[in-house]
Amino acid sequence: MAILSTDNLRKTFSLPKEKGEPLFAKRKRLVAVNQLSLSFEEGEIYGLLGPNGAGKTTALRMIASLIKPEEGKIFYQGEDIEKNLTAYRKEIGFLTSELKLDGFFTPNQTFDYFARLYAMDEKEAKEEKEILFERFHISEYRNKKIDELSTGMKQKCSLALSLAHKPKIVIFDEPTNGLDIVASQEVEQFLLDLKKSNHLVLLSTHIFSLAEKLCDRIGILLHGELKKEDTKEKYKEEGGLEKVFFALYEKEGGDNL
Amino acid sequence: MKGLATIFKKECLRYFTDYRMLIALFLPGILIFVLYMSMGNIMTNIVSTPAIENTVFHIAYTDDFGEGEYPKLVSLLEATFTSGGRGNTLKTYPLSEEESLSAKEEVKKGTYDVYLDYSPSFEDELLGEKVQTLNIYYNGASEKATYLYELTSSLVSFAYNGYLLNQENGFPIDSNVAEENFRMDQVASFLIPLLTTTFLFSPIISLAPESIAGEKERGTLATLLITPVSRSAISWGKILAISLASLASALVSFLGVFFSIPSILPGFQLSFDSAFPILILFLLSDILFVGIGIAISAFAKSIKEANSYLGGLLTLMMVVSLLSSILDFSALPFAFIPVFNISSCMSLILKSSTFPWLYMTITIVVTALAASLVVFFSNRLFRSEKIMFRK
Ligand SMILES: Nc1ncnc2c1ncn2[C@@H]1O[C@H](COP(=O)(O)OP(=O)(O)OP(=O)(O)O)[C@@H](O)[C@H]1O
Ligand SMILES: [Mg+2]
């Protein structure tokens, strides 16, 4: 059985009022995600691939329970996540390059803060902190203000913190966005390690090479809808991810998306 | 609510260890003290030296000085008047023992501006060892009477210089026949509500935008929202932390004013009877203001946006508190207007001769209701993904 699955997710946003529109006219709505049904296994890396505005962030936010789908449900171990959100949130780590840490505090303080928010056992949290700080080479900077750290260091802190509560599922929106080649390399290694330890990794990207390198399965998202889903090997057989993507893109009307 | 305490502690740690925050919170109070200490005297002069001209003053005194004899003090006053050059004249009224009995009443009515109540043979006994008192009665509600009183009391030590006047001998006692000191209370009744509003609200302006809109802007809020902590625990944790910090800041500001009161409002004393209800209003309105600040901060997309809403609101509140103390809003329906009623109630407490129980009760109930409504509303905003993830 799939550890995590989504059933017909739909999310729309109201569009801003256009000029000349009457004040109380019903706002037009933009469909950000539509009829999205996915299912994931433990120990796999799944990639959502799509251009800007395809609905990747919206889909991942719904799966991370940050926003609620209008239609459809999300199941964790066969159970609707809405039934016990608190328990579900303890099982997921969510990371985006938009997610930041309060620069006023040190990595050490921040880790303790999140461990408490996740209601972790104090001893367990302490041990986990040492392991993660060691793993991401944070120990040296643990008592420095996050504001004073470099971008790469900050990213490493975020990574460590998203794992503080030992989540089974890690959701990662555009993991290498804004990182240099060395830092990206480290993040990629980090994701592969997670997979090795039987975590489920869910990521979004618009970079073909990244998806091909890391993901076991890739879903192509266009206009909020899943257009194709296959294993990395299958895409290779069909001439590569890039080729398949643009064939689909043309078929869907290209720029008119 | 799990997590509330953790969030509260973290927010407090942020407010009370960041030196920029500390400056924003506590410097104003200290500055007020320093400023008024140096400025206070100027204010005093403006407040207490009305230009009174071409006026007839009436002074009465117990006449046991014998035929044609004046108390030294009265002759000195007369001399001051004739040489004063402002066209003011002084009429003196020696009173018999019988007339003296109703003298205080007459002062209240305004027949006399000042009544000097000497004990019999005051001046002779000043030379001896016995402790003597000189009661100076005046109507503090009258500007004219207060003027004469101030002049009189400032001449006392001068008049009895030769009598070895000291702390024990011939000490003048200020006896205001009016129940309250009109002019100072008038100033206090607009200054205190105005300062309260400003002191409570300005720390909120430096705290609230940072607290939620700032976290949205910096992207740290989503990090908090994906934790298992409930949305209401987050918003309560923030509300309580801001309340604590803003109260601490307002308290420092108030102490600043409290210690400057002697130089801002000479002669004014805040009695416990009015200070206590004002403190209650103070605490209640803090929760209301914090609620408003949090709601605005939750609604705004950025610190800048939150700041401009709150800045506008502060101006409005200051205008309201000024208006409510200048104009008469003592009619009960006004007590039902939230925010507005706080300053008008404070000013009523300071101004009116009877304690405005009903007005105060209505104000408290309305403020408590408004505060819970606002807090409820900001909790709702926290749950709304439309607001939290506004594009
Ligand atoms: N909170 C919001 N309010 C209004 N519209 C939104 C909101 N979030 C997303 N949208 C819109 O929904 C659509 C999908 O956005 P989404 O951010 O999910 O795309 P994406 O695939 O992550 O794109 P990108 O590669 O640019 O990150 C876009 O048109 C976007 O403008
Ligand atoms: Mg995105």
Side-chain angles (χ1 to χ4, degrees), chain A residues 13-14 30 32 51-58 174 206, chain B residues 389-391:
Chain A
F13 295 109
S14 64
L30 173 130
N52 290 139
K56 304 182 294 289
T57 302
T58 308
E174 313 261 2
H206 55 260
Chain B
F389 297 95
R390 211 145 68 105
K391 264 222 162 167

Side-chain angles (χ1 to χ4, degrees), chain B residues 263-276:
Chain B
S263 36
I264 309 174
L265 305 170
F268 174 75
Q269 268 174 336
L270 195 59
S271 71
F272 180 77
D273 289 351
S274 37
F276 187 65

Side-chain angles (χ1 to χ4, degrees), chain A residues 183-246:
Chain A
S184 320
Q185 176 65 39
E186 269 176 325
V187 169
E188 285 166 22
Q189 192 50 52
F190 159 70
L191 294 179
L192 288 171
D193 286 352
L194 281 175
K195 174 191 150 137
K196 239 181 250 164
S197 50
N198 212 30
H199 287 77
L200 162 62
V201 178
L202 250 175
L203 61 87
S204 81
T205 186
H206 55 260
I207 307 168
F208 299 113
S209 60
L210 185 81
E212 278 178 323
K213 190 154 59 165
L214 289 178
C215 302
D216 301 302
R217 288 191 301 144
I218 299 156
I220 295 180
L221 206 59
L222 285 178
H223 210 238
E225 290 183 13
L226 189 69
K227 296 296 177 192
K228 189 177 168 70
E229 188 185 49
D230 242 321
T231 58
K232 165 168 72 177
E233 291 74 23
K234 205 68 197 257
Y235 283 107
K236 226 175 241 165
E237 280 170 29
E238 290 175 27
L241 189 55
E242 188 168 348
K243 197 179 151 209
V244 177
F245 172 82
F246 279 107

Side-chain angles (χ1 to χ4, degrees), chain A residues 11 68 89 99-100 102, chain B residues 14 218-219 223 231 385:
Chain A
K11 185 80 186 174
K68 287 199 189 341
R89 285 189 174 141
L99 278 191
K100 302 269 160 51
D102 192 338
Chain B
R14 191 168 196 331
R218 278 179 278 120
T223 330
R231 305 281 146 105
E385 58 185 56

Side-chain angles (χ1 to χ4, degrees), chain B residues 20 43 121 124 152 198 207 323 336 339 349 352 367 385:
Chain B
R20 279 169 304 182
M43 293 249 319
S121 59
D124 292 338
T152 311
T198 321
L207 294 167
L323 278 183
F336 288 95
V339 179
I349 291 174
S352 60
T367 307
E385 58 185 56

Side-chain angles (χ1 to χ4, degrees), chain B residues 72-73 76 122-123 126-127 154-166 169-170:
Chain B
K72 284 254 161 25
L73 187 54
L76 205 62
F122 173 80
E123 289 183 356
L126 264 186
L127 295 165
S154 69
L155 287 177
V156 169
S157 68
F158 196 55
Y160 299 115
N161 215 338
Y163 295 88
L164 301 171
L165 183 86
N166 58 37
N169 285 6

Side-chain angles (χ1 to χ4, degrees), chain B residues 287-310:
Chain B
I287 296 175
L288 176 60
F289 291 173
V290 170
I292 293 174
I294 285 278
I296 286 180
S297 178
F299 178 76
K301 269 184 278 191
S302 62
I303 295 185
K304 222 171 135 192
E305 192 182 333
N307 264 331
S308 59
Y309 294 147
L310 283 170

